[in-house]
Amino acid sequence: MSLLQDFWQLLRPLSSGLTKSFTTSCDSGESDPCRDDAAALTLKFAAMASILFAGAAGVSIPLVGGTLLPSNGGLMRGAKAFAAGVILATGFVHMLSGGSEALSDPCLPEFPWKMFPFPEFFAMVAALLTLLADFMITGYYERKQEKMMNLSVESLGQNRSIISDPGLESGLLRDEDGGALHIVGMRARADHHRHSLSMGAEGFEALAKRSGGHGHGHGHGHGDVGLDSGVRHVVVSQILEMGIVSHSIIIGISLGVSHSPCTIRPLLVALSFHQFFEGFALGGCVAEARLTPRGSAMMAFFFAITTPIGVAVGTAIASFYNSYSVAALVAEGVLDSLSAGILVYMALVDLIAADFLSKKMSVDFKLQIVSYCFLFLGAGMMSALAIWA
């Protein structure tokens, strides 16, 4: 019994510290001389409209441009590099720093928040979980796609009039430019590059239409897109949206709960540019995924409305919400840190490494210069916005 009592005595400080850390609250202690509820409410409505328009415009430009310009052209390559820089800066400069700021706030108790680098730890966990999800879901959907291809082969074998022609059979198996089924090419690419996954019915449906649903399709002017590459782009777009949306809601609520026009005015402009650049980056990834028009429109719409919804929620709870409470600070810090890990992983692995280490990039010096310039430009411009938001 004495051993259990001693053990309980050791646990009591831990349990009381954790309970206190989530139940206490803190106020800044400063009265804002610029507080004006009526003017702040007017600016919040203006912010919702401005941010909605900026986000919708940013995500729409690559979607429209992707249908008019070749995906491997210099302009689109530069846009993709710019988008990768924006996503990387969003993860490091905006989200990770925001998580660090929230979890190191003086309103948080010393234990456990000052005893361990939680923001960096949560970012690392998020990156590792993203890698694990990548691996597991990739295997599942590749097996599913292999079954589809096997069914295509079986149905093809039942058509005697086609198979009886050796020349045509040979063309189906070897010709990658003839626009037939490309069975061998798709299998080889899927076996060679397994770093791909698909999430959601929309992405899988779009991929299936490109890979095996047409007997004589020649694409839509995009060239021969490998099965693995198509799956990867679908997944990148959807995981990026997941990481961006959580951050967008947080910054929207932060604006919505403010009562100070002096705070809201610069945030209105900064967040409008912030959403435009993030939307441009996300729109470029969605355009590469080549989802169905309905799927692309849904992703663009969902991104565009998240921050205005966050502003509306913040406005509704502004009368009783304490942004300095421990629960609010911990929630903001953890979500920002997790989002940072997701976006940093996606930017480095699935955007920058995939394009900058490709064969096309290594043999084209002019493309290297353009891509690196746009990469640094995107990262630099998004980082500069951290001065205001």
Side-chain angles (χ1 to χ4, degrees), residues 175-366:
D175 182 15
E176 288 204 356
D177 297 321
L181 292 179
H182 311 325
I183 301 297
V184 173
M186 287 176 3
R187 285 177 185 264
R189 283 189 293 268
D191 290 337
H192 174 70
H193 183 68
R194 299 185 63 85
H195 180 68
S196 57
L197 70 147
S198 178
M199 295 170 60
E202 286 289 345
F204 186 75
E205 176 187 352
L207 185 64
K209 287 181 180 179
R210 289 204 309 269
S211 60
H214 304 283
H216 60 281
H218 293 275
H220 301 281
H222 302 294
D224 184 18
V225 181
L227 178 64
D228 59 315
S229 178
V231 177
R232 182 177 67 82
H233 292 315
V234 170
V235 175
V236 168
S237 63
Q238 296 188 0
I239 293 183
L240 278 179
E241 177 144 27
M242 179 179 66
I244 289 173
V245 159
S246 62
H247 177 63
S248 297
I249 293 175
I250 290 172
I251 61 177
I253 292 177
S254 299
L255 188 151
V257 298
S258 176
H259 298 277
S260 171
C262 300
T263 300
I264 297 174
R265 285 192 191 97
L267 277 179
L268 189 157
V269 178
L271 291 182
S272 295
F273 280 102
H274 183 280
Q275 290 303 102
F276 178 83
F277 288 135
E278 279 192 353
F280 186 88
L282 178 63
C285 295
V286 174
E288 277 202 304
R290 299 189 190 114
L291 302 174
T292 61
R294 177 173 171 267
S296 299
M298 286 181 62
M299 291 188 69
F301 175 76
F302 190 60
F303 164 77
I305 65 171
T306 48
T307 301
I309 287 177
V311 176
V313 170
T315 303
I317 65 176
S319 59
F320 58 87
Y321 178 81
N322 180 13
S323 59
Y324 293 96
S325 68
V326 172
L329 289 170
V330 170
E332 178 182 349
V334 171
L335 286 176
D336 268 350
S337 300
L338 292 175
S339 298
I342 294 172
L343 293 194
V344 168
Y345 172 89
M346 299 303 294
L348 292 175
V349 176
D350 283 318
L351 296 179
I352 296 176
D355 285 339
F356 283 74
L357 300 180
S358 66
K359 182 177 180 181
K360 181 176 178 61
M361 181 77 74
S362 64
V363 299
D364 192 336
F365 181 72
K366 181 179 178 181

Side-chain angles (χ1 to χ4, degrees), residues 83-119:
V86 168
I87 294 298
L88 187 64
T90 301
F92 274 123
V93 181
H94 291 265
M95 295 187 180
L96 188 57
S97 65
S100 299
E101 182 179 354
L103 293 180
S104 61
D105 193 279
C107 292
L108 290 179
E110 187 75 19
F111 181 86
W113 308 109
K114 308 297 172 58
M115 302 294 187
F116 186 79
F118 282 104

Side-chain angles (χ1 to χ4, degrees), residues 67-79:
T67 62
L68 303 177
L69 298 173
S71 60
N72 288 326
L75 186 59
M76 286 303 295
R77 286 273 185 169

Side-chain angles (χ1 to χ4, degrees), residues 21-65:
S21 69
F22 281 99
T23 55
T24 57
S25 62
C26 174
D27 192 276
S28 62
E30 299 175 358
S31 58
D32 189 354
C34 194
R35 176 164 180 161
D36 186 337
D37 290 348
L41 183 61
T42 302
L43 286 173
K44 289 173 188 178
F45 283 116
M48 284 188 277
S50 175
I51 292 171
L52 177 65
F53 176 79
V59 76
S60 299
I61 290 175
L63 292 177
V64 176

